[in-house]
PDB file of all heavy atoms in Angstrom:
ATOM      1  N   SER A 553      11.575  -7.855  -9.382  1.00 91.00           N
ATOM      2  CA  SER A 553      11.241  -7.004 -10.524  1.00 91.00           C
ATOM      3  C   SER A 553      11.182  -7.843 -11.791  1.00 91.00           C
ATOM      4  O   SER A 553      11.593  -9.007 -11.830  1.00 91.00           O
ATOM      5  CB  SER A 553      12.281  -5.882 -10.680  1.00 91.00           C
ATOM      6  OG  SER A 553      13.571  -6.421 -10.872  1.00 91.00           O
ATOM      7  N   ILE A 554      10.677  -7.223 -12.843  1.00 90.00           N
ATOM      8  CA  ILE A 554      10.535  -7.872 -14.146  1.00 90.00           C
ATOM      9  C   ILE A 554      11.098  -6.952 -15.218  1.00 90.00           C
ATOM     10  O   ILE A 554      11.021  -5.719 -15.116  1.00 90.00           O
ATOM     11  CB  ILE A 554       9.046  -8.195 -14.442  1.00 90.00           C
ATOM     12  CG1 ILE A 554       8.901  -8.958 -15.752  1.00 90.00           C
ATOM     13  CG2 ILE A 554       8.213  -6.920 -14.467  1.00 90.00           C
ATOM     14  CD1 ILE A 554       7.465  -9.417 -16.028  1.00 90.00           C
ATOM     15  N   THR A 555      11.688  -7.528 -16.242  1.00 86.00           N
ATOM     16  CA  THR A 555      12.118  -6.784 -17.423  1.00 86.00           C
ATOM     17  C   THR A 555      11.406  -7.394 -18.620  1.00 86.00           C
ATOM     18  O   THR A 555      11.652  -8.556 -18.972  1.00 86.00           O
ATOM     19  CB  THR A 555      13.632  -6.844 -17.617  1.00 86.00           C
ATOM     20  OG1 THR A 555      14.279  -6.312 -16.454  1.00 86.00           O
ATOM     21  CG2 THR A 555      14.057  -6.027 -18.831  1.00 86.00           C
ATOM     22  N   ARG A 556      10.523  -6.616 -19.220  1.00 85.00           N
ATOM     23  CA  ARG A 556       9.761  -7.108 -20.369  1.00 85.00           C
ATOM     24  C   ARG A 556      10.442  -6.676 -21.665  1.00 85.00           C
ATOM     25  O   ARG A 556      10.957  -5.568 -21.766  1.00 85.00           O
ATOM     26  CB  ARG A 556       8.334  -6.552 -20.343  1.00 85.00           C
ATOM     27  CG  ARG A 556       7.527  -6.924 -19.107  1.00 85.00           C
ATOM     28  CD  ARG A 556       6.153  -6.301 -19.168  1.00 85.00           C
ATOM     29  NE  ARG A 556       5.343  -6.604 -18.006  1.00 85.00           N
ATOM     30  CZ  ARG A 556       5.323  -5.871 -16.904  1.00 85.00           C
ATOM     31  NH1 ARG A 556       6.063  -4.786 -16.829  1.00 85.00           N
ATOM     32  NH2 ARG A 556       4.563  -6.222 -15.879  1.00 85.00           N
ATOM     33  N   PRO A 557      10.418  -7.518 -22.666  1.00 83.00           N
ATOM     34  CA  PRO A 557      10.970  -7.098 -23.963  1.00 83.00           C
ATOM     35  C   PRO A 557      10.088  -6.039 -24.613  1.00 83.00           C
ATOM     36  O   PRO A 557       8.862  -6.139 -24.591  1.00 83.00           O
ATOM     37  CB  PRO A 557      10.985  -8.394 -24.782  1.00 83.00           C
ATOM     38  CG  PRO A 557       9.931  -9.261 -24.135  1.00 83.00           C
ATOM     39  CD  PRO A 557       9.917  -8.900 -22.684  1.00 83.00           C
ATOM     40  N   VAL A 558      10.706  -4.996 -25.164  1.00 76.00           N
ATOM     41  CA  VAL A 558       9.941  -3.992 -25.904  1.00 76.00           C
ATOM     42  C   VAL A 558       9.691  -4.507 -27.314  1.00 76.00           C
ATOM     43  O   VAL A 558      10.213  -5.542 -27.732  1.00 76.00           O
ATOM     44  CB  VAL A 558      10.705  -2.648 -25.947  1.00 76.00           C
ATOM     45  CG1 VAL A 558      10.867  -2.090 -24.547  1.00 76.00           C
ATOM     46  CG2 VAL A 558      12.062  -2.801 -26.619  1.00 76.00           C
ATOM     47  N   TYR A 559       8.873  -3.782 -28.066  1.00 71.00           N
ATOM     48  CA  TYR A 559       8.412  -4.330 -29.339  1.00 71.00           C
ATOM     49  C   TYR A 559       9.540  -4.503 -30.350  1.00 71.00           C
ATOM     50  O   TYR A 559       9.488  -5.400 -31.195  1.00 71.00           O
ATOM     51  CB  TYR A 559       7.304  -3.450 -29.922  1.00 71.00           C
ATOM     52  CG  TYR A 559       7.555  -1.980 -29.925  1.00 71.00           C
ATOM     53  CD1 TYR A 559       8.389  -1.384 -30.851  1.00 71.00           C
ATOM     54  CD2 TYR A 559       6.936  -1.170 -28.983  1.00 71.00           C
ATOM     55  CE1 TYR A 559       8.600  -0.016 -30.833  1.00 71.00           C
ATOM     56  CE2 TYR A 559       7.150   0.203 -28.958  1.00 71.00           C
ATOM     57  CZ  TYR A 559       7.987   0.765 -29.895  1.00 71.00           C
ATOM     58  OH  TYR A 559       8.213   2.121 -29.879  1.00 71.00           O
ATOM     59  N   GLU A 560      10.613  -3.677 -30.280  1.00 73.00           N
ATOM     60  CA  GLU A 560      11.733  -3.869 -31.199  1.00 73.00           C
ATOM     61  C   GLU A 560      12.428  -5.203 -30.960  1.00 73.00           C
ATOM     62  O   GLU A 560      12.967  -5.814 -31.885  1.00 73.00           O
ATOM     63  CB  GLU A 560      12.744  -2.732 -31.070  1.00 73.00           C
ATOM     64  CG  GLU A 560      12.372  -1.461 -31.812  1.00 73.00           C
ATOM     65  CD  GLU A 560      11.460  -0.582 -30.968  1.00 73.00           C
ATOM     66  OE1 GLU A 560      11.064  -1.038 -29.868  1.00 73.00           O
ATOM     67  OE2 GLU A 560      11.148   0.534 -31.396  1.00 73.00           O
ATOM     68  N   TYR A 561      12.432  -5.656 -29.702  1.00 81.00           N
ATOM     69  CA  TYR A 561      13.068  -6.939 -29.407  1.00 81.00           C
ATOM     70  C   TYR A 561      12.227  -8.112 -29.899  1.00 81.00           C
ATOM     71  O   TYR A 561      12.741  -9.217 -30.088  1.00 81.00           O
ATOM     72  CB  TYR A 561      13.270  -7.093 -27.901  1.00 81.00           C
ATOM     73  CG  TYR A 561      14.179  -6.063 -27.278  1.00 81.00           C
ATOM     74  CD1 TYR A 561      14.344  -6.004 -25.904  1.00 81.00           C
ATOM     75  CD2 TYR A 561      14.881  -5.147 -28.053  1.00 81.00           C
ATOM     76  CE1 TYR A 561      15.177  -5.071 -25.315  1.00 81.00           C
ATOM     77  CE2 TYR A 561      15.706  -4.206 -27.475  1.00 81.00           C
ATOM     78  CZ  TYR A 561      15.845  -4.165 -26.107  1.00 81.00           C
ATOM     79  OH  TYR A 561      16.674  -3.233 -25.526  1.00 81.00           O
ATOM     80  N   LEU A 562      10.918  -7.896 -30.092  1.00 78.00           N
ATOM     81  CA  LEU A 562      10.014  -8.963 -30.514  1.00 78.00           C
ATOM     82  C   LEU A 562       9.763  -8.973 -32.018  1.00 78.00           C
ATOM     83  O   LEU A 562       9.472 -10.021 -32.603  1.00 78.00           O
ATOM     84  CB  LEU A 562       8.672  -8.815 -29.787  1.00 78.00           C
ATOM     85  CG  LEU A 562       8.712  -8.877 -28.255  1.00 78.00           C
ATOM     86  CD1 LEU A 562       7.383  -8.408 -27.683  1.00 78.00           C
ATOM     87  CD2 LEU A 562       9.024 -10.279 -27.780  1.00 78.00           C
ATOM     88  N   ASN A 563       9.847  -7.811 -32.659  1.00 74.00           N
ATOM     89  CA  ASN A 563       9.509  -7.684 -34.063  1.00 74.00           C
ATOM     90  C   ASN A 563      10.482  -8.477 -34.935  1.00 74.00           C
ATOM     91  O   ASN A 563      11.679  -8.188 -34.965  1.00 74.00           O
ATOM     92  CB  ASN A 563       9.544  -6.195 -34.448  1.00 74.00           C
ATOM     93  CG  ASN A 563       9.030  -5.946 -35.843  1.00 74.00           C
ATOM     94  OD1 ASN A 563       8.788  -6.870 -36.619  1.00 74.00           O
ATOM     95  ND2 ASN A 563       8.860  -4.680 -36.176  1.00 74.00           N
ATOM     96  N   PRO A 564      10.018  -9.482 -35.682  1.00 74.00           N
ATOM     97  CA  PRO A 564      10.927 -10.314 -36.481  1.00 74.00           C
ATOM     98  C   PRO A 564      11.425  -9.636 -37.756  1.00 74.00           C
ATOM     99  O   PRO A 564      12.185 -10.256 -38.513  1.00 74.00           O
ATOM    100  CB  PRO A 564      10.066 -11.532 -36.816  1.00 74.00           C
ATOM    101  CG  PRO A 564       8.664 -11.019 -36.817  1.00 74.00           C
ATOM    102  CD  PRO A 564       8.620  -9.963 -35.743  1.00 74.00           C
ATOM    103  N   PHE A 565      11.037  -8.403 -37.994  1.00 71.00           N
ATOM    104  CA  PHE A 565      11.493  -7.690 -39.194  1.00 71.00           C
ATOM    105  C   PHE A 565      13.019  -7.569 -39.187  1.00 71.00           C
ATOM    106  O   PHE A 565      13.601  -7.013 -38.261  1.00 71.00           O
ATOM    107  CB  PHE A 565      10.842  -6.311 -39.235  1.00 71.00           C
ATOM    108  CG  PHE A 565      11.590  -5.304 -40.068  1.00 71.00           C
ATOM    109  CD1 PHE A 565      11.750  -5.498 -41.424  1.00 71.00           C
ATOM    110  CD2 PHE A 565      12.127  -4.163 -39.484  1.00 71.00           C
ATOM    111  CE1 PHE A 565      12.433  -4.571 -42.180  1.00 71.00           C
ATOM    112  CE2 PHE A 565      12.802  -3.235 -40.239  1.00 71.00           C
ATOM    113  CZ  PHE A 565      12.963  -3.438 -41.594  1.00 71.00           C
ATOM    114  N   PRO A 566      13.739  -8.095 -40.197  1.00 75.00           N
ATOM    115  CA  PRO A 566      15.203  -7.976 -40.236  1.00 75.00           C
ATOM    116  C   PRO A 566      15.621  -6.582 -40.720  1.00 75.00           C
ATOM    117  O   PRO A 566      15.187  -6.114 -41.774  1.00 75.00           O
ATOM    118  CB  PRO A 566      15.626  -9.066 -41.234  1.00 75.00           C
ATOM    119  CG  PRO A 566      14.445  -9.254 -42.113  1.00 75.00           C
ATOM    120  CD  PRO A 566      13.223  -8.935 -41.296  1.00 75.00           C
ATOM    121  N   ARG A 567      16.458  -5.929 -39.953  1.00 73.00           N
ATOM    122  CA  ARG A 567      16.934  -4.582 -40.278  1.00 73.00           C
ATOM    123  C   ARG A 567      18.343  -4.678 -40.848  1.00 73.00           C
ATOM    124  O   ARG A 567      19.257  -5.219 -40.214  1.00 73.00           O
ATOM    125  CB  ARG A 567      16.887  -3.689 -39.038  1.00 73.00           C
ATOM    126  CG  ARG A 567      15.451  -3.402 -38.592  1.00 73.00           C
ATOM    127  CD  ARG A 567      15.396  -2.741 -37.241  1.00 73.00           C
ATOM    128  NE  ARG A 567      15.683  -3.656 -36.146  1.00 73.00           N
ATOM    129  CZ  ARG A 567      14.807  -4.513 -35.629  1.00 73.00           C
ATOM    130  NH1 ARG A 567      13.577  -4.593 -36.136  1.00 73.00           N
ATOM    131  NH2 ARG A 567      15.140  -5.307 -34.635  1.00 73.00           N
ATOM    132  N   TYR A 568      18.528  -4.117 -42.022  1.00 70.00           N
ATOM    133  CA  TYR A 568      19.784  -4.220 -42.747  1.00 70.00           C
ATOM    134  C   TYR A 568      20.842  -3.354 -42.073  1.00 70.00           C
ATOM    135  O   TYR A 568      20.628  -2.159 -41.793  1.00 70.00           O
ATOM    136  CB  TYR A 568      19.567  -3.756 -44.193  1.00 70.00           C
ATOM    137  CG  TYR A 568      20.801  -3.790 -45.053  1.00 70.00           C
ATOM    138  CD1 TYR A 568      21.140  -4.943 -45.758  1.00 70.00           C
ATOM    139  CD2 TYR A 568      21.627  -2.676 -45.170  1.00 70.00           C
ATOM    140  CE1 TYR A 568      22.273  -4.977 -46.565  1.00 70.00           C
ATOM    141  CE2 TYR A 568      22.756  -2.699 -45.972  1.00 70.00           C
ATOM    142  CZ  TYR A 568      23.079  -3.852 -46.663  1.00 70.00           C
ATOM    143  OH  TYR A 568      24.195  -3.886 -47.459  1.00 70.00           O
ATOM    144  N   LEU A 569      22.014  -3.936 -41.773  1.00 72.00           N
ATOM    145  CA  LEU A 569      23.155  -3.188 -41.247  1.00 72.00           C
ATOM    146  C   LEU A 569      24.270  -3.132 -42.294  1.00 72.00           C
ATOM    147  O   LEU A 569      24.770  -2.061 -42.611  1.00 72.00           O
ATOM    148  CB  LEU A 569      23.665  -3.835 -39.956  1.00 72.00           C
ATOM    149  CG  LEU A 569      22.650  -3.864 -38.800  1.00 72.00           C
ATOM    150  CD1 LEU A 569      23.230  -4.579 -37.602  1.00 72.00           C
ATOM    151  CD2 LEU A 569      22.220  -2.445 -38.431  1.00 72.00           C
ATOM    152  N   ASP A 570      24.686  -4.267 -42.780  1.00 71.00           N
ATOM    153  CA  ASP A 570      25.581  -4.346 -43.930  1.00 71.00           C
ATOM    154  C   ASP A 570      25.410  -5.738 -44.534  1.00 71.00           C
ATOM    155  O   ASP A 570      24.617  -6.535 -44.047  1.00 71.00           O
ATOM    156  CB  ASP A 570      27.043  -4.044 -43.553  1.00 71.00           C
ATOM    157  CG  ASP A 570      27.590  -5.004 -42.504  1.00 71.00           C
ATOM    158  OD1 ASP A 570      27.614  -6.227 -42.763  1.00 71.00           O
ATOM    159  OD2 ASP A 570      27.992  -4.542 -41.414  1.00 71.00           O
ATOM    160  N   GLN A 571      26.144  -6.018 -45.600  1.00 70.00           N
ATOM    161  CA  GLN A 571      25.910  -7.274 -46.298  1.00 70.00           C
ATOM    162  C   GLN A 571      26.326  -8.495 -45.487  1.00 70.00           C
ATOM    163  O   GLN A 571      25.982  -9.632 -45.835  1.00 70.00           O
ATOM    164  CB  GLN A 571      26.648  -7.275 -47.629  1.00 70.00           C
ATOM    165  CG  GLN A 571      28.173  -7.325 -47.460  1.00 70.00           C
ATOM    166  CD  GLN A 571      28.887  -6.995 -48.735  1.00 70.00           C
ATOM    167  OE1 GLN A 571      29.163  -5.840 -49.001  1.00 70.00           O
ATOM    168  NE2 GLN A 571      29.146  -8.023 -49.538  1.00 70.00           N
ATOM    169  N   TYR A 572      27.049  -8.292 -44.377  1.00 76.00           N
ATOM    170  CA  TYR A 572      27.479  -9.409 -43.537  1.00 76.00           C
ATOM    171  C   TYR A 572      26.760  -9.450 -42.192  1.00 76.00           C
ATOM    172  O   TYR A 572      26.977 -10.380 -41.415  1.00 76.00           O
ATOM    173  CB  TYR A 572      28.992  -9.331 -43.284  1.00 76.00           C
ATOM    174  CG  TYR A 572      29.816  -9.361 -44.553  1.00 76.00           C
ATOM    175  CD1 TYR A 572      30.403  -8.201 -45.046  1.00 76.00           C
ATOM    176  CD2 TYR A 572      29.995 -10.549 -45.259  1.00 76.00           C
ATOM    177  CE1 TYR A 572      31.160  -8.218 -46.210  1.00 76.00           C
ATOM    178  CE2 TYR A 572      30.749 -10.582 -46.425  1.00 76.00           C
ATOM    179  CZ  TYR A 572      31.326  -9.413 -46.893  1.00 76.00           C
ATOM    180  OH  TYR A 572      32.063  -9.437 -48.044  1.00 76.00           O
ATOM    181  N   LEU A 573      25.932  -8.459 -41.910  1.00 79.00           N
ATOM    182  CA  LEU A 573      25.302  -8.395 -40.589  1.00 79.00           C
ATOM    183  C   LEU A 573      23.937  -7.725 -40.705  1.00 79.00           C
ATOM    184  O   LEU A 573      23.788  -6.697 -41.369  1.00 79.00           O
ATOM    185  CB  LEU A 573      26.183  -7.586 -39.619  1.00 79.00           C
ATOM    186  CG  LEU A 573      25.678  -7.450 -38.189  1.00 79.00           C
ATOM    187  CD1 LEU A 573      25.681  -8.804 -37.479  1.00 79.00           C
ATOM    188  CD2 LEU A 573      26.543  -6.449 -37.420  1.00 79.00           C
ATOM    189  N   TYR A 574      22.940  -8.337 -40.068  1.00 81.00           N
ATOM    190  CA  TYR A 574      21.632  -7.715 -39.939  1.00 81.00           C
ATOM    191  C   TYR A 574      21.119  -7.974 -38.527  1.00 81.00           C
ATOM    192  O   TYR A 574      21.693  -8.777 -37.767  1.00 81.00           O
ATOM    193  CB  TYR A 574      20.651  -8.237 -40.996  1.00 81.00           C
ATOM    194  CG  TYR A 574      20.262  -9.688 -40.850  1.00 81.00           C
ATOM    195  CD1 TYR A 574      19.114 -10.074 -40.147  1.00 81.00           C
ATOM    196  CD2 TYR A 574      21.025 -10.702 -41.428  1.00 81.00           C
ATOM    197  CE1 TYR A 574      18.754 -11.410 -40.019  1.00 81.00           C
ATOM    198  CE2 TYR A 574      20.673 -12.033 -41.309  1.00 81.00           C
ATOM    199  CZ  TYR A 574      19.535 -12.385 -40.601  1.00 81.00           C
ATOM    200  OH  TYR A 574      19.182 -13.703 -40.476  1.00 81.00           O
ATOM    201  N   GLU A 575      20.059  -7.286 -38.121  1.00 82.00           N
ATOM    202  CA  GLU A 575      19.481  -7.500 -36.803  1.00 82.00           C
ATOM    203  C   GLU A 575      17.991  -7.763 -36.938  1.00 82.00           C
ATOM    204  O   GLU A 575      17.334  -7.238 -37.840  1.00 82.00           O
ATOM    205  CB  GLU A 575      19.742  -6.309 -35.875  1.00 82.00           C
ATOM    206  CG  GLU A 575      19.160  -4.995 -36.335  1.00 82.00           C
ATOM    207  CD  GLU A 575      19.513  -3.856 -35.401  1.00 82.00           C
ATOM    208  OE1 GLU A 575      20.273  -4.086 -34.444  1.00 82.00           O
ATOM    209  OE2 GLU A 575      19.024  -2.732 -35.629  1.00 82.00           O
ATOM    210  N   THR A 576      17.478  -8.581 -36.049  1.00 82.00           N
ATOM    211  CA  THR A 576      16.071  -8.969 -36.111  1.00 82.00           C
ATOM    212  C   THR A 576      15.559  -9.239 -34.706  1.00 82.00           C
ATOM    213  O   THR A 576      16.346  -9.530 -33.790  1.00 82.00           O
ATOM    214  CB  THR A 576      15.903 -10.232 -36.982  1.00 82.00           C
ATOM    215  OG1 THR A 576      14.519 -10.586 -37.059  1.00 82.00           O
ATOM    216  CG2 THR A 576      16.678 -11.398 -36.414  1.00 82.00           C
ATOM    217  N   GLY A 577      14.257  -9.127 -34.516  1.00 82.00           N
ATOM    218  CA  GLY A 577      13.651  -9.408 -33.221  1.00 82.00           C
ATOM    219  C   GLY A 577      13.340 -10.887 -33.052  1.00 82.00           C
ATOM    220  O   GLY A 577      13.455 -11.688 -33.982  1.00 82.00           O
ATOM    221  N   ASN A 578      12.905 -11.232 -31.842  1.00 84.00           N
ATOM    222  CA  ASN A 578      12.609 -12.615 -31.501  1.00 84.00           C
ATOM    223  C   ASN A 578      11.222 -12.680 -30.870  1.00 84.00           C
ATOM    224  O   ASN A 578      11.054 -12.344 -29.694  1.00 84.00           O
ATOM    225  CB  ASN A 578      13.673 -13.147 -30.532  1.00 84.00           C
ATOM    226  CG  ASN A 578      13.430 -14.592 -30.131  1.00 84.00           C
ATOM    227  OD1 ASN A 578      12.471 -15.234 -30.577  1.00 84.00           O
ATOM    228  ND2 ASN A 578      14.301 -15.106 -29.279  1.00 84.00           N
TER     229      ASN A 578
END
Side-chain angles (χ1 to χ4, degrees):
S553 59
I554 184 175
T555 302
R556 300 179 181 89
V558 297
Y559 47 77
E560 279 85 355
Y561 298 174
L562 300 167
N563 188 351
F565 158 63
R567 292 170 286 280
Y568 179 89
L569 298 177
D570 59 60
Q571 69 194 89
Y572 301 104
L573 181 67
Y574 67 94
E575 61 183 4
T576 181
N578 180 1

